Amino acid sequence: MKRAAFSQPLMPVALLMPQLIIIAVFFYWPAWEAIYSSFFLQDPFGFGSNYVGADNYTRLAKSSEYAKVAGFTLFFTVVVTFLSLGIALLLAVKADKVIRGAKTYRTLLMWVYAVAPPVAGFLGSLLFDQNIGPITDLFAFFGYNLQIGLNYNDTAFAMIVVSVWKQIPVNFIFLLSGLQSIPVAVREAALIDNKSGTRRFWDITFPLLAPTAFFLLIINITYALFDTFGVIDIMVKGNPASNPITLVYKVYTDGFRGNDLGGSSAQSVVLMVLVLLLTVMQFRMLERRIHYT
């Protein structure tokens, strides 16, 4: 087979250059500035900075508040990822079987994907509002008083519900596409070999969805760590001190509200390293068990 080649040796570089410039400007440069700033104690108004070495990192390691936020971030990420993927998989399996009204059913599930995270947070605040929120009224009917923005656990519950609701559609789209790409012959063969729908799903269907599920696992972890910022910002109602927040939101509060630019830079570097290690671990440990067809 004849290999395709460029007649001009610089043509591939020219085609890649716009993307490389965007990556350099919006990732590598800010990342370098964050690493550089993490070793300084900076004046918030830009009048000067003092080199403090690793003091910002040492302060983080000794901070009980940072450890609490890190613990909640881990819990939040695991729960949001598990529920988002689990519910989306269930809906995708059911949608794949629907015949009458299938297009309407799928469209209604996908609509939420168009909602921006801050808008999702605002809608969640309305649903959990203490005065007019229908979900709050539902809990009150069973004798429980939800206090979003005041009670730590109640706010955490609302943040998880809204974050999961926001992410389900994108998972649903990919999983439904994965289900529909499974050959009919494979399904018919599985139906002959095993009459149990549950066994067929776990033995045949789910392994064939493994590449899609692996991709979504990484996407959902990234979403829970970073893209839920808008939801959290709206739902904590400007009072993060008594409410649960994630590591990425703490970077914002310490840097832009607390004016601790060096400390927030150190937090962003720690978060960047953790995400890098997590991604490498996922590819090393999980991708080996996934077979692409």
Side-chain angles (χ1 to χ4, degrees):
M1 183 180 294
K2 185 178 180 180
R3 297 180 60 184
F6 289 95
S7 58
Q8 299 294 330
L10 295 180
M11 180 60 69
V13 178
L15 294 175
L16 289 174
M17 191 58 64
Q19 183 65 32
L20 293 176
I21 293 175
I22 293 175
I23 294 175
V25 171
F26 292 99
F27 179 75
Y28 290 114
W29 182 24
W32 165 251
E33 288 294 331
I35 295 173
Y36 179 80
S37 299
S38 66
F39 294 102
F40 289 85
L41 182 63
Q42 296 182 329
D43 186 275
F45 300 101
F47 293 117
S49 59
N50 296 320
Y51 178 77
V52 294
D55 287 355
N56 289 323
Y57 295 97
T58 304
R59 187 152 46 92
L60 286 181
K62 296 179 180 179
S63 174
S64 58
E65 179 187 359
Y66 187 77
K68 180 180 179 181
V69 173
F72 175 76
T73 302
L74 176 62
F75 171 78
F76 179 82
T77 302
V78 171
V79 173
V80 170
T81 301
F82 175 78
L83 291 179
S84 299
L85 288 174
I87 297 174
L89 179 60
L90 177 62
L91 294 175
V93 171
K94 296 301 180 182
D96 190 40
K97 297 178 180 179
V98 171
I99 299 177
R100 180 178 298 178
K103 293 183 178 180
T104 303
Y105 178 72
R106 295 167 187 172
T107 302
L108 290 174
L109 287 173
M110 295 177 185
W111 271 359
V112 185
Y113 180 57
V115 178
V119 177
F122 176 72
L123 294 175
S125 298
L126 294 179
L127 292 173
F128 286 95
D129 187 86
Q130 289 182 267
N131 298 317
I132 62 173
I135 298 181
T136 303
D137 294 339
L138 178 63
F139 274 81
F141 177 78
F142 291 99
Y144 186 82
N145 182 26
L146 274 176
Q147 296 180 325
I148 308 303
L150 299 175
N151 184 281
Y152 186 94
N153 294 327
D154 292 349
T155 307
F157 170 76
M159 286 165 48
I160 291 174
V161 169
V162 176
S163 298
V164 170
W165 169 72
K166 174 67 179 69
Q167 186 64 7
I168 286 176
V170 63
N171 295 335
F172 170 78
I173 294 171
F174 280 98
L175 290 172
L176 181 60
S177 300
L179 286 172
Q180 293 180 341
S181 66
I182 297 177
V184 178
V186 175
R187 298 191 183 191
E188 293 177 349
L191 183 62
I192 296 174
D193 293 338
N194 198 324
K195 294 183 179 180
S196 173
T198 303
R199 288 293 304 275
R200 289 199 307 271
F201 175 80
W202 290 112
D203 293 343
I204 304 298
T205 305
F206 189 75
L208 292 174
L209 280 176
T212 303
F214 174 70
F215 167 76
L216 289 177
L217 177 64
I218 298 176
I219 293 299
N220 279 261
I221 291 176
T222 305
Y223 162 78
L225 285 173
F226 297 100
D227 292 347
T228 53
F229 179 91
V231 174
I232 297 172
D233 187 41
I234 297 298
M235 299 203 71
V236 298
K237 299 180 178 179
N239 185 26
S242 59
N243 285 307
I245 58 174
T246 58
L247 289 175
V248 68
Y249 194 75
K250 184 171 175 56
V251 173
Y252 165 74
T253 56
D254 288 358
F256 291 93
R257 294 187 179 180
N259 293 326
D260 183 11
L261 301 181
S264 64
S265 297
Q267 292 179 39
S268 65
V269 172
V270 171
L271 187 59
M272 180 173 58
V273 172
L274 289 176
V275 172
L276 177 63
L277 293 176
L278 180 62
T279 303
V280 171
M281 183 178 66
Q282 286 176 339
F283 276 96
R284 292 266 183 183
M285 298 179 62
L286 296 180
E287 193 178 24
R288 292 178 180 179
R289 301 182 181 182
I290 296 175
H291 301 283
Y292 297 90
T293 57

